[in-house]
Amino acid sequence: MLELDAAHQVMRGRDAEMSVVERLLAGTRAGRGAAVVVRGHAGIGKTMLLTAARAAAAEAGMAVLTTNGAEAEKALPFAGLHQLLGPLLGNVPALTPRLQRALRGAFGQEDAWPDLFTVGLAVLELLGDRAARTPLLIVAEDAHWLDPETLDVLVFVARRLTVEPIAAMMAVRAQHTGVLAGTGLGQLRLAELDDDAAGRVLADHAPGLSPGLRDRVLAEAAGNPLALVELPRVLTPGTGLPELLPLNERLESAFADRFAQLDDPARAVVTAFSADSGCPLPALLAAAQALTGTPVAATAIQPAIDAGLLQIQDRRLRFRHPLVRSAVYRAAGDIARLTVHSALADALADDPDRRAWHRSAATLGPDEQVSAELEAAAGRALERGALGVAVTDLDRASELTADPARRSSLLLRAAELASQLLDRQIAVQLVAKADPRQGDTADRARLALVRDIVEPGDFRDTGRLDLLCDLALDALAGGHPELAGMLCWRAASRCWWAGLPSAAGVRVTAVLGKLGLAADEPAALAIAAYAQPDVHGPGVLRQLPALVPDRTDVDGMRFLGGAALILGDFVTASSFMGTASAGYRTQGRAALLARNLSSTGFIRLWLGRWPAVRADLEEAESLAEEIGDHFWIVAARSAQALQEAMYGNDQTAVRLAASVLASPLVVGVRFVANAAQHARGVAANAAGRHDEALDLLLRVFDPQDDTHHPDMCGWALPDLADAAVRANRRPEADDLLARSAERAARFPSPMLARSLAYAQAVLSPEPSAAAAYGKALAMDLGPWPVHRARLQLAHGSWLRRTRRILESRVPLRAARDGFDALGAAAWGRLAREELRAAGEESAGRATPSGEQLTAQELQTAMLAAAGLTNREIGQRLFMSHRTVSSHLYRIFPKLGITGRAQLRAALEALPLDQ
């Protein structure tokens, strides 16, 4: 039970919920921030709970910031965020220049195209700086009506509050099930009041009811607090409740009756306010005057406050409950609504976005001018990084044009933006409304791009390749070379993702030849490599080391890195993709960063620095989850499965791999399936189940198997060879070895060459084994510590078996040390067993301090050692500088150091690579 205001309103039946709030606020005051989403039906008490939370926070000396969602502002970019941060905007100059630009760009105060992650970081820093003085509670009421960009930023902030003295509470109506769902935030669901609490609420507000009416109200209210308060007000002496209607409709009817009893000026003001609850007071009064025909003063608001329809909270006029707004808007009538929206549009001439939206609401039938204004508003939203608002504006603009071709074009542009937001459901709905027959070649190209993103289908479908190529040629002929290039890239990507035969990519490379791209342009090299790696791969591999690319071209770095990756040049790929990741961090392009980190983590498994790889993969999964890119969550897990298998954690690896292979998102995507199956084979080998391992790995070499990939299967040769030898089934690998040697002879892939050399050495019969090992060891293995250590183990084992005991100890020691540096426990145990068999005891491996660091701590330590400040590190890793400080506080004792100046030496001493 809690006193809420001077009128001593009492909240009944919410002791458990208030305990959650009190724990949230207590943790925040102790520096452990958190967020909770309050869900419940209309009238269930969400607003009262948030009011109670605000009161408790204020009583405890905390600061409180509030934003209220409003339907009229849902199409205004960052409107809710601007309302929330209003009291703090004077502190923006204290942010770094980059964060200042992002926030001002979001609010339309500067020409900038901010990304949501950078805006989110700016907000986190602004809130954190304020909370450093006084713990802070941020409250978002009716969050389901906040603009999508504000919601995204709030989620970004809410997920990063663990070391901030900030609490966040966001209220969402129950039927908006998708809002703030799947975000990882705590959920507090408000249920109906029990009979005892409901009876006490009714007694508080209608103590004079007869027993019969009391029972009827209790039954009809069904534990809804708002209904218990409002239904008795519609009773008149001698009558019962009105006809049975759904509860919300009965409550709206009660509010509508109260609205109808207001005088004309008050009714006009409330009507105008229901059309735009965020407009300035002068515009509100001007719209009210349009209804009354006479000037309306601000005093006309008071009767609505007295009637319990409006209230003033946090110096802002608002409806007492969202149902009041919908009741008034419905009761106003069609003509009054049109009049109000038209008047508001005229009064908001200096706010073009709000004006465009009101003009569209005041329009009956097609209106090309209003449609054009909405299209322009969409353009402005894009400039501010508000893709969600732009989608809404373009969709509404399409409804107001009478030109079928323009309608389809607007819808397809909206669908393209929705696909970039990974909102597949909205994109599909927009595409369904478009008529591709009405559009031009650019529209048809956009349609194909959208469908390929939101409805990729089976990647093995070569018919889709033909369609993409046809549309690319049409776009090129229609004067749209950029769209043509994008279509060609999508087609090439499908070829490699599905592991299609070379013949499938012939058409793609033919289209590439017509795009007019320079032979050494990154996109051209990537398209050629992805479409036909066995045909164009050798040439691309020869070109890559000779290139002097523009490393400021971040997308170009991604193209080059991707080409090097799929062709097995992991060293070059790591360099290019590392540059791309740094660029995407600086630009705040989280979606591309997640994809890049997933790919980079996979290839760096063979290049050492496994703790850093673990950090990259965990960050890739976290970012992909945050932006809703479910495919790259699965892709990151396939690489994680392989790393866990290499560590020797066979059960974890098998679990991760199974989840990947069970996902419908990897149907036909053989590069992900191959990695997961490879992980299963490595895990089985690590656990000593060598027959099972061989059976699993043989599948990746079978062209008919869904886990086969023609380029990646050769990367599993070392594991296949180990399984074949230990299961005493060498002949089953012979044919695969011969086929791989034939491919390597015409395809100089560094990864394939080293994998093949290992397998040939391990599987060679005794007379030729020495030469095979000599050949493999003569290769440049410096940047390839995994291959080097495995080869040293195999070579030492062979020497021991051939009774060259003393000679065997040298490579076996090197293998043991190499595996210890990597943290490859299973392989490390094998090296120790071989050393013991060679007559040398070896102590067990101690866990290096580097492995005691979490993934994010390791990233933080590496950046701090490079000389970056806490704020610079925070901007790289999308966290506040206070979180960076918290990480460093935990890192120092783990590394046995006391200060930042010792970080570089401590990290260099860690056996992260060789």
Side-chain angles (χ1 to χ4, degrees):
M1 193 180 300
L2 185 77
E3 298 294 338
L4 291 181
D5 58 22
H8 300 295
Q9 280 187 300
V10 176
M11 190 166 60
R12 306 282 192 183
R14 296 296 185 201
D15 291 347
E17 291 82 355
M18 275 308 302
S19 293
V20 173
V21 172
E22 288 162 2
R23 288 196 299 272
L24 175 71
L25 298 180
T28 300
R29 293 194 297 274
R32 302 185 304 275
V36 64
V37 179
V38 181
R39 293 189 183 275
H41 293 287
I44 205 65
K46 300 185 296 297
T47 297
M48 285 194 73
L49 187 68
L50 295 186
T51 301
R54 281 195 293 263
E59 185 176 346
M62 297 174 64
V64 181
L65 295 175
T66 301
T67 187
N68 298 292
E71 277 187 291
E73 296 187 342
K74 193 168 184 178
L76 301 176
F78 298 104
L81 188 64
H82 192 273
Q83 182 189 150
L84 178 73
L85 298 180
L88 304 184
L89 293 180
N91 300 333
V92 170
L95 299 175
T96 64
R98 176 188 167 205
L99 297 185
Q100 289 184 50
R101 286 193 301 271
L103 203 54
R104 287 172 176 152
F107 294 152
Q109 299 166 351
E110 191 169 311
D111 290 335
W113 189 320
D115 64 276
L116 284 172
F117 270 56
T118 306
V119 174
L121 185 58
V123 173
L124 182 61
E125 290 285 3
L126 199 61
L127 294 173
D129 288 346
R130 176 63 184 84
R133 300 196 302 272
T134 308
L136 178 64
L137 170 66
I138 57 177
V139 174
E141 293 203 46
D142 298 325
H144 46 278
W145 283 334
L146 288 171
D147 60 274
E149 284 67 37
T150 292
L151 271 179
D152 288 342
V153 169
L154 287 178
V155 170
F156 176 96
V157 169
R159 290 168 63 111
R160 291 164 172 80
L161 295 180
T162 52
V163 298
E164 306 282 355
I166 303 173
M169 296 185 70
M170 293 166 275
V172 177
R173 198 177 290 182
Q175 64 263 40
H176 298 275
T177 54
V179 176
L180 297 177
T183 58
L185 304 181
Q187 305 282 320
L188 178 59
R189 303 181 186 279
L190 297 191
E192 289 74 15
L193 297 178
D194 60 30
D195 291 345
D196 179 63
R200 285 186 288 148
V201 170
L202 186 58
D204 289 340
H205 293 273
L209 286 181
S210 67
L213 280 178
R214 182 178 183 278
D215 291 344
R216 176 76 184 280
V217 170
L218 287 171
E220 295 297 327
N224 184 291
L226 184 65
L228 291 165
V229 173
E230 296 298 336
L231 289 181
R233 296 188 181 187
V234 302
L235 299 174
T236 55
T239 67
L241 289 171
E243 60 178 313
L244 292 181
L245 292 169
L247 183 58
N248 281 4
E249 292 187 30
R250 273 178 283 162
L251 290 172
E252 286 193 4
S253 176
F255 292 135
D257 288 345
R258 213 176 304 168
F259 165 69
Q261 294 170 20
L262 297 174
D263 58 32
D264 288 347
R267 197 161 56 248
V269 168
V270 177
T271 299
F273 193 55
S274 73
D276 188 342
S277 56
C279 70
L281 182 61
L284 181 67
L285 297 178
Q289 180 177 338
L291 288 176
T292 63
T294 57
V296 176
T299 54
I301 299 172
Q302 189 61 48
I305 294 176
D306 296 339
L309 298 176
L310 300 180
Q311 62 182 358
I312 295 176
Q313 187 179 78
D314 298 324
R315 302 182 65 182
R316 182 179 169 99
L317 186 67
R318 55 175 300 187
F319 283 104
R320 179 169 161 262
H321 192 277
L323 287 178
V324 178
R325 192 212 69 82
S326 56
V328 170
Y329 194 73
R330 288 185 186 182
D334 293 338
I335 301 303
R337 287 195 293 269
L338 292 172
T339 301
V340 162
H341 282 297
S342 180
L344 286 170
D346 292 340
L348 296 168
D350 58 346
D351 188 342
D353 295 338
R354 221 180 195 107
R355 180 176 187 273
W357 195 252
H358 280 299
R359 288 204 66 193
S360 73
T363 301
L364 295 175
D367 188 314
E368 299 299 335
Q369 183 178 347
V370 176
S371 177
E373 288 181 18
L374 282 171
E375 185 178 6
R380 289 189 293 273
L382 280 177
E383 291 173 0
R384 295 164 64 179
L387 273 67
V389 169
V391 168
T392 303
D393 286 343
L394 290 171
D395 186 18
R396 177 59 177 150
S398 74
E399 296 172 354
L400 295 178
T401 180
D403 181 348
R406 183 165 177 270
R407 180 184 303 117
S408 282
S409 180
L410 291 167
L411 287 167
L412 291 173
R413 285 166 56 195
E416 186 178 11
L417 294 175
S419 69
Q420 292 178 30
L421 288 168
L422 304 174
D423 194 334
R424 289 172 170 80
Q425 183 178 1
I426 295 296
V428 169
Q429 292 172 359
L430 291 165
V431 165
K433 293 196 293 184
D435 183 355
R437 297 170 301 179
Q438 300 292 339
D440 58 14
T441 55
D443 291 331
R444 289 190 290 274
R446 286 194 183 91
L447 176 60
L449 286 171
V450 170
R451 283 181 170 163
D452 205 54
I453 294 170
V454 302
E455 297 175 334
D458 191 331
F459 278 77
R460 296 164 293 191
D461 178 12
T462 56
R464 179 73 71 93
L465 292 181
D466 289 335
L467 174 62
L468 291 171
C469 288
D470 288 341
L471 289 169
L473 292 174
D474 289 346
L476 190 62
H480 305 286
E482 185 176 345
L483 282 172
M486 292 170 65
L487 289 164
C488 192
W489 167 241
R490 294 292 305 183
S493 297
R494 293 179 72 93
C495 290
W496 195 83
W497 281 31
L500 295 178
S502 181
V506 171
R507 181 88 190 281
V508 180
T509 53
V511 173
L512 171 62
K514 298 178 181 180
L515 292 179
L517 298 176
D520 61 351
E521 192 162 331
L525 291 170
I527 291 171
Y530 275 74
Q532 290 185 292
D534 56 340
V535 174
H536 298 285
V540 173
L541 282 169
R542 285 190 296 271
Q543 280 185 272
L544 287 175
L547 287 177
V548 184
D550 176 7
R551 287 189 173 263
T552 64
D553 177 7
V554 180
D555 292 325
M557 290 296 98
R558 177 171 59 91
F559 278 128
L560 293 175
L565 183 160
I566 68 168
L567 299 176
D569 187 352
F570 289 178
V571 176
T572 300
S574 178
S575 173
F576 286 142
M577 298 183 87
T579 301
S581 291
Y584 290 139
R585 285 191 192 283
T586 300
Q587 297 172 1
R589 297 165 71 182
L592 288 171
L593 177 59
R595 300 176 189 187
N596 210 63
L597 287 174
S598 179
S599 302
T600 306
F602 176 80
I603 58 175
R604 287 181 176 171
L605 283 175
W606 281 271
L607 305 181
R609 300 192 67 81
W610 282 4
V613 169
R614 174 166 52 90
D616 282 347
L617 293 175
E618 287 187 14
E619 185 182 11
E621 182 178 359
S622 176
L623 289 173
E625 182 179 352
E626 196 155 4
I627 61 180
D629 196 338
H630 300 294
F631 172 79
W632 286 101
I633 295 174
V634 176
R637 286 176 182 167
S638 70
Q640 288 171 335
L642 192 52
Q643 181 171 32
E644 292 296 336
M646 289 178 165
Y647 270 130
N649 302 328
D650 60 293
Q651 293 184 353
T652 302
V654 169
R655 176 179 54 79
L656 285 168
S659 70
V660 170
L661 292 170
S663 172
L665 297 174
V666 302
V667 173
V669 187
R670 290 196 171 187
F671 85 89
V672 176
N674 178 279
Q677 185 72 0
H678 189 177
R680 294 176 71 194
V682 175
N685 262 339
R689 303 190 302 272
H690 304 302
D691 280 298
E692 178 189 339
L694 184 60
D695 291 337
L696 289 168
L697 292 167
L698 285 171
R699 288 179 54 189
V700 306
F701 289 87
D702 180 2
Q704 303 306 312
D705 195 278
D706 287 340
T707 64
H708 169 74
H709 193 287
D711 297 310
M712 294 175 65
C713 64
W715 304 349
L717 281 169
D719 306 291
L720 179 83
D722 284 348
V725 168
R726 290 168 187 154
N728 198 25
R729 294 165 58 183
R730 291 178 185 238
E732 295 180 57
D734 289 343
D735 180 56
L736 300 178
L737 205 61
R739 282 165 29 199
S740 297
E742 184 275 330
R743 183 176 179 83
R746 55 186 172 81
F747 185 62
S749 162
M751 177 63 172
L752 177 58
R754 284 156 181 77
S755 299
L756 177 64
Y758 177 93
Q760 287 174 329
V762 169
L763 293 170
S764 284
E766 189 58 40
S768 57
Y773 276 113
K775 176 184 175 183
L777 288 166
M779 302 181 79
D780 178 12
L781 298 174
W784 302 80
V786 176
H787 281 87
R788 182 177 65 239
R790 294 185 70 178
L791 191 57
Q792 288 165 338
L793 171 61
H795 184 225
S797 301
W798 175 75
L799 289 172
R800 183 192 61 78
R801 290 194 305 273
T802 57
R803 301 184 184 280
R804 297 155 69 177
I805 303 299
L806 292 177
E807 193 178 347
S808 73
R809 293 174 184 173
V810 175
L812 288 174
R813 288 188 205 113
R816 176 202 60 197
D817 294 343
F819 292 135
D820 284 355
L822 291 165
W827 286 326
R829 284 194 299 270
L830 287 176
R832 284 174 168 77
E833 290 171 6
E834 288 290 338
L835 271 172
R836 192 175 302 115
E840 180 174 308
E841 287 298 325
S842 182
R845 173 183 181 266
T847 302
S849 53
E851 289 179 28
Q852 299 169 11
L853 301 180
T854 68
Q856 207 166 70
E857 286 171 351
L858 180 62
Q859 287 179 308
T860 301
M862 293 168 67
L863 292 172
L868 275 69
T869 67
N870 287 4
R871 288 187 184 273
E872 290 170 336
I873 294 170
Q875 290 184 32
R876 292 281 188 94
L877 300 180
F878 302 115
M879 64 177 74
S880 76
H881 68 276
R882 286 163 299 279
T883 301
V884 174
S885 298
S886 176
H887 284 328
L888 290 173
Y889 179 80
R890 292 191 295 269
I891 287 167
F892 292 162
K894 288 184 179 182
L895 294 180
I897 61 177
T898 57
R900 201 183 194 102
Q902 299 168 287
L903 266 176
R904 181 184 293 274
L907 290 177
E908 288 175 350
L910 295 179
L912 298 178
D913 60 1
Q914 293 188 348

